[in-house]
Amino acid sequence: MSGPALRLAVELDGDGAHPAAWRRAAHSPDHLLTPRRVARVAAAAENAGFTLLTLDDGVLPPGSVPDTVGRIGAVERAAFIAASTSVAGVAPVVPLTYAEPFHVSSQLASLDHISVGRAGWVVGEETQPEAARAWGRPLVEGAAARASESRDGVAAVRALWDSWEDDAVVRSVATSRYLDRDRLHYVDFTGDTFTVKGPAIVPRPPQGQVVVLGHPDLVPAEQLDVALVAGRGLAAVATAAAGAGTPRVFAEIEVALDTAHATAEERVADLEQHAPWTDRGRLRHVGSAAGLAALLERLRGVVDGVRLHPLVLDEDLPELSRLVLPHLFERRHAVRPSAGATLRTHLGLERPANRYATAAVPAGEVTR
Amino acid sequence: MTRTDPLDVPRPDAQLHLGVFFQGVNHWTIWSDPASGSQIDPASFRKVARTAERGLFDAFFLGEGLRLREVDGRIHDLDVAGRPDAITQLAALAAVTDRIGLVSTSNTTFNEAPDLARRLSGLDLLSEGRAGWNVVTTDNAWTGENFRRGGYLDHADRYTRAEEFLTVARALWDGWKDGAASGSPGASTWAAPGAVRRVRHRGAQFDVDLAPTLPRSAQGHPVIFQAGDSGEGREFAARNADVIFSAHGSDFDDALAFADDVRRRLLSAGRPEDDLRILPGTEIIIGATEEEALEKKRWIRLQQVTPATALGIAGLLWNRDLSDRDADGPLPKEDPVVAENDGSFGARRIADPYTVVAEWREKAEAGGWSLRETVIALGPQRGHVGTPAGLADRFTHWVRHGAVDGFNVTPYLIPDGLDDIVDLLVPELQERGVYRTEYTGTTLREHLGLREPLTHRSTTDGRRAG
Ligand SMILES: Cc1cc2nc3c(=O)[nH]c(=O)nc-3n(C[C@H](O)[C@H](O)[C@H](O)COP(=O)(O)O)c2cc1C
């Protein structure tokens, strides 16, 4: 199969995709939550050539009970990473089940300013009932209610990003106006469970709209820039991709690679003694780097990109960096992001027009 | 400055602390000058934070406002506005600074305690113990229109909520025993068994039950700042805060009276009277000579109080739209209209405008001032103006006499407005032995010379236990 070159994303939360990944990490647990560790993993992924780094999150501790693992909030990690990288996009997972859409909008717009247009957002969900008590908010019960929060939340967040037109800061010394208030807009958003007045307190993000990624069964397709699709086999992924209805589609792939010290199978088996590698119905490659490269090549034309979930970051990221990504880049089966471009540009997405933008005044009719 | 016998100086060894307040929204930040840079470009934040760090400042502060300001229902368009989310911006600055404290102004009314506590902890860990939280309370329904809950909180309840908020936050910050996460790669569990305690809290404001996801940082807890001037605000600070960010920093007697009041309240709250740092917000204008400094001040005031801004400020006082008047002409002839307090943070109303207007008229007449000159002369007299040596003498006197512990400086220009303070004033302060010559600690708590967090203290040493 051939098609346009793939865009590559990688999920960097914790020590890897396996709940017990920390057991094979190259560092002790107390180093996981240090700035050095956060920066180092991000730098390794950026240097490898990934276009997008994603960071999982949720209010409940990760790991399998009773073995607690700590986790710094994804937005804070993303901002830290944005300031210590220069090319890769950075996308925190932020669920809207309980969060304030106004705060989420500000945080993600700020991330886009901080990264000069490299921000993304993976819309998450808080599915566990315990999450409500952890937030201190009334339970949002059932898939339908959660979907409604996600739908309204994303719509409100996106409206707030447009609530400042791009040139709302006019700094007009002649009229003493810092802002042009006609280019600021109350969003007056009304959802099923909340309203938001607006405008935002953060000027419009550099990308116009932060790149929104999500699962099409959780967020309506028209709200997404990139659908993240699952499927245990290529056919299932192809079906899901064809039906996604979003500008871009990325396949979710869980990855365990052979290393110099152990085969992928052995590594997985080692961790399975402690906890099962949760089956989320995603493509899973357990094996050689060459096998993964071949799988990715077959995905060209089926999807626009992939998001890899490495079993153990400290073990799989070096293999991806050394063997898989160079192979794909050399054959132009995947592209490296280039410095100075936005995440939208890397994904081939237009910078969206502002929904509130007043029609441009035709030339010659400019009044003074 | 007055020469005093060293024995008469109450705090001969006291040190001055400096913070920088990147305010973001106000008319004191000049935007019209060519030297004024972007208010949102990350380079501006980086530049200010790094300059402050070069000047060995304790902290870099960001303010917060959760709705764009309005006057009479229209968005206020004269001043700098539009700023990043504070914690998000500070987490980015943690990556490009090493020592300076990173303080977020964050509201207790329109946040949930577990969520904000976790975000602050994350900042604290990413900065290795440099986070601070300036606790502010906003109750107005006008801001509430941006949030799920709307304007649900009575004015009387806002410090009640703030206090319960802090209780929950502290419980979460104390939820992990020190050394909970294992220090050996081959550990059998990630965290020591039983090292993470669930937090169950049921109160009027919060009903939560969760396992905290984060250990304590190098400084234990984020440093707690309080900014609020009412009696309730001061009581809240005396019970809870490590630092007060006050508005009493321009007049020595006023600053000393405020500091004495706070110290009394601290003792009543069962804390040592040196347990809290008082850092008023201020502006510092430096010239090579006194005349040059005054000339610079005049230029700065004219940039800050443009004709339109002068008419806007007078409009709030008169409670009339004066935007079509001549700011360089005389004061309006009409009487002011007494405004109803509309609860909006967009515009601050004056309770007794008649008295103020009468005073303005009298002084304008005596001085032969235009409306704009009157606004400049009689508006808040903020900050300090002088030569580096003169200011250093004055600040040494203030800090050694216990009027302040330092200042939280608002630069009138972004991003270069701190340069002369760092290059000219700081060396003079160092010469007087009132300012550090290098960072001696790595955490914000250490920079400020604070004791350990209130909840970590034992009951036996006379202090409060949590
Ligand atoms: C120096 C200073 C700085 C403040 N900065 C902020 C701010 O950035 N955001 C905010 O919402 N309130 C800010 N406040 C307002 C206070 O948090 C508080 O709401 C206000 O002073 C009224 O409280 P009070 O009734 O206790 O005086 C500030 C107050 C002071 C004195």
Side-chain angles (χ1 to χ4, degrees), chain A residues 57 110 171 177 181 186 198, chain B residues 37 70 74 77 85 118 146:
Chain A
D57 205 6
S110 301
R171 291 182 180 246
R177 311 271 156 209
R181 62 161 76 102
Y186 294 102
Chain B
E70 293 173 355
R74 302 177 73 197
D77 57 1
D85 174 76
R118 178 167 182 250
N146 282 332

Side-chain angles (χ1 to χ4, degrees), chain B residues 21 63-64 105 136-138 158-159 227-230 233 245-247 345:
Chain B
F21 190 33
E64 182 194 64
T105 299
V136 295
T137 57
T138 299
R158 65 201 181 111
Y159 279 108
D229 206 25
S230 62
F245 181 14
S246 86
F345 225 53

Side-chain angles (χ1 to χ4, degrees), chain A residues 15 22-23 27-30 32-33 35 38 57-61 67-73 75-77 79-80 83-84 96-103 106-107 110-111 113-114 116 130 133-137 149 164 169 171-173 176-179 181 184 186 193-203, chain B residues 31-32 36-40 42 65-68 70 73-85 87-89 91-92 94-96 110-112 114-115 118-119 122-123 125-126 128 145-149 176 181-185 187-191 196 202 207-215 306 308:
Chain A
D15 280 309
W22 66 268
R23 294 178 185 276
H27 62 92
S28 56
D30 61 348
L32 176 64
L33 308 174
V38 172
D57 205 6
V59 71
L60 303 176
D67 200 0
T68 306
V69 174
R71 179 191 257 165
I72 297 174
V75 170
E76 291 72 69
R77 271 180 292 157
F80 182 89
S84 51
L96 281 169
T97 318
Y98 299 105
E100 284 287 356
F102 191 82
H103 287 320
S106 299
Q107 290 161 15
S110 301
L111 182 64
H113 284 287
I114 288 160
V116 198
E130 300 83 61
R133 296 296 305 286
W135 262 91
R137 293 194 54 85
E149 290 299 339
W164 290 55
V169 173
R171 291 182 180 246
S172 164
V173 177
S176 294
R177 311 271 156 209
Y178 181 81
L179 298 174
R181 62 161 76 102
L184 293 169
Y186 294 102
T193 62
F194 65 89
T195 60
V196 176
K197 180 76 186 169
I201 50 167
V202 188
Chain B
W31 55 262
S32 55
S36 164
S38 168
Q39 292 286 324
I40 190 72
L66 296 174
R67 182 156 171 185
L68 283 191
E70 293 173 355
R74 302 177 73 197
I75 290 167
H76 181 66
D77 57 1
L78 301 179
D79 304 340
V80 165
R83 54 180 161 190
D85 174 76
I87 295 176
T88 311
Q89 179 66 60
V96 295
F110 298 109
N111 280 294
E112 300 303 334
D115 180 51
R118 178 167 182 250
R119 301 191 71 216
L123 176 63
L125 289 168
L126 290 169
E128 303 194 286
E145 283 184 315
N146 282 332
F147 296 94
R148 289 175 183 271
R149 287 165 179 263
W176 287 43
S182 171
S184 78
S188 59
T189 55
W190 195 88
V196 179
R202 187 184 284 265
D207 178 6
V208 297
D209 177 356
L210 72 159
T213 48
L214 290 171
T306 62

Side-chain angles (χ1 to χ4, degrees), chain B residues 110-323:
Chain B
F110 298 109
N111 280 294
E112 300 303 334
D115 180 51
L116 185 63
R118 178 167 182 250
R119 301 191 71 216
L120 289 162
S121 279
L123 176 63
D124 211 14
L125 289 168
L126 290 169
S127 63
E128 303 194 286
R130 296 187 279 136
W133 172 23
N134 182 27
V135 181
V136 295
T137 57
T138 299
D139 54 40
N140 63 69
W142 178 79
T143 299
E145 283 184 315
N146 282 332
F147 296 94
R148 289 175 183 271
R149 287 165 179 263
Y152 72 104
L153 198 64
D154 280 347
H155 187 80
D157 290 338
R158 65 201 181 111
Y159 279 108
T160 315
R161 178 168 167 101
E163 194 124 4
E164 199 178 318
F165 198 114
L166 213 50
T167 301
V168 173
R170 285 181 163 137
L172 287 163
W173 294 337
D174 287 339
W176 287 43
K177 288 191 185 139
D178 285 327
S182 171
S184 78
S188 59
T189 55
W190 195 88
V196 179
R197 279 183 300 249
R198 286 192 82 78
V199 172
R200 293 189 179 84
H201 173 98
R202 187 184 284 265
Q205 297 291 335
F206 298 97
D207 178 6
V208 297
D209 177 356
L210 72 159
T213 48
L214 290 171
R216 283 197 281 255
S217 77
Q219 65 173 353
H221 291 184
V223 173
I224 304 296
F225 291 66
Q226 184 271 0
D229 206 25
S230 62
E232 281 166 294
R234 294 182 191 193
E235 284 297 316
F236 173 81
R239 282 194 302 273
N240 300 297
D242 298 305
V243 183
I244 288 194
F245 181 14
S246 86
H248 300 269
S250 297
D251 175 79
F252 179 82
D253 292 336
D254 172 59
L256 189 59
F258 175 80
D260 283 340
D261 178 61
V262 166
R263 285 191 278 261
R264 262 194 307 276
R265 291 176 196 264
L266 267 179
L267 290 173
S268 307
R271 296 171 61 186
E273 67 169 18
D274 65 346
D275 214 29
L276 193 61
R277 303 284 165 266
I278 299 172
L279 303 184
T282 196
E283 180 190 66
I284 295 176
I285 299 171
I286 298 178
T289 63
E290 292 291 334
E291 297 71 50
E292 192 187 304
L294 286 171
E295 187 52 39
K296 195 158 156 192
K297 173 181 166 182
R298 186 174 155 70
W299 176 84
I300 289 168
R301 290 289 178 266
L302 288 172
Q303 307 302 305
Q304 292 168 332
V305 185
T306 62
T309 294
L311 294 173
I313 291 171
L316 289 181
L317 173 54
W318 264 267
N319 194 22
R320 293 170 184 272
D321 180 7
L322 302 175
S323 57

Side-chain angles (χ1 to χ4, degrees), chain A residues 340-356:
Chain A
T342 66
L343 178 57
R344 279 190 175 274
T345 304
H346 289 144
L347 299 178
L349 296 166
E350 300 271 297
R351 188 177 190 279
N354 190 315
R355 75 189 68 184
Y356 299 106

